Amino acid sequence: GEYDKALQRYQRALSINENSLGEQHPSTANTLDNLGGAYLGKGEHDKALEHYQRALQIRLVTQGELHPDTVATYKYIDDVLRKQGRVREGAAP
């Protein structure tokens, strides 16, 4: 379906970003967030979480903990964990 098409496009974009900008670049993190969203839409929570966590690590290094994009990625992680009945360590209840 549509999520599969989106995943293909985002995977291609991720490859391009990693090759041209590097693995530790905010644009790479954006693409990882997009991949996470597509996996979440498909109900593949573990894959979504994996991509969001990777994006978070990049954002913490390149943008800092208080940057709006970093905060958004924390929210995405919390959303996935909530769907799984879990809570991120250190997250507000």
Side-chain angles (χ1 to χ4, degrees):
E2 292 301 312
Y3 288 116
D4 291 323
K5 289 178 187 177
L7 285 168
Q8 288 177 353
R9 290 184 185 120
Y10 291 141
Q11 287 288 2
R12 185 168 185 272
L14 180 62
S15 179
I16 291 168
N17 284 346
E18 288 176 336
N19 289 325
S20 62
L21 302 172
E23 292 185 9
Q24 295 292 314
H25 191 279
S27 291
T28 302
N30 290 342
T31 304
L32 287 163
D33 276 343
N34 291 336
L35 277 162
Y39 279 118
L40 185 59
K42 285 187 67 169
E44 296 185 35
H45 297 154
D46 289 338
K47 286 186 178 181
L49 190 58
E50 175 186 326
H51 286 83
Y52 288 145
Q53 288 174 331
R54 188 168 159 217
L56 179 63
Q57 294 308 312
I58 294 168
R59 292 192 189 291
L60 288 171
V61 169
T62 62
Q63 297 173 292
E65 189 170 35
L66 299 179
H67 190 279
D69 291 344
T70 306
V71 173
T73 301
Y74 273 123
K75 180 193 173 302
Y76 302 149
I77 290 170
D78 289 345
D79 290 346
V80 174
L81 292 175
R82 199 169 301 115
K83 288 179 186 293
Q84 294 179 322
R86 300 168 30 195
V87 178
R88 177 175 51 88
E89 187 175 318

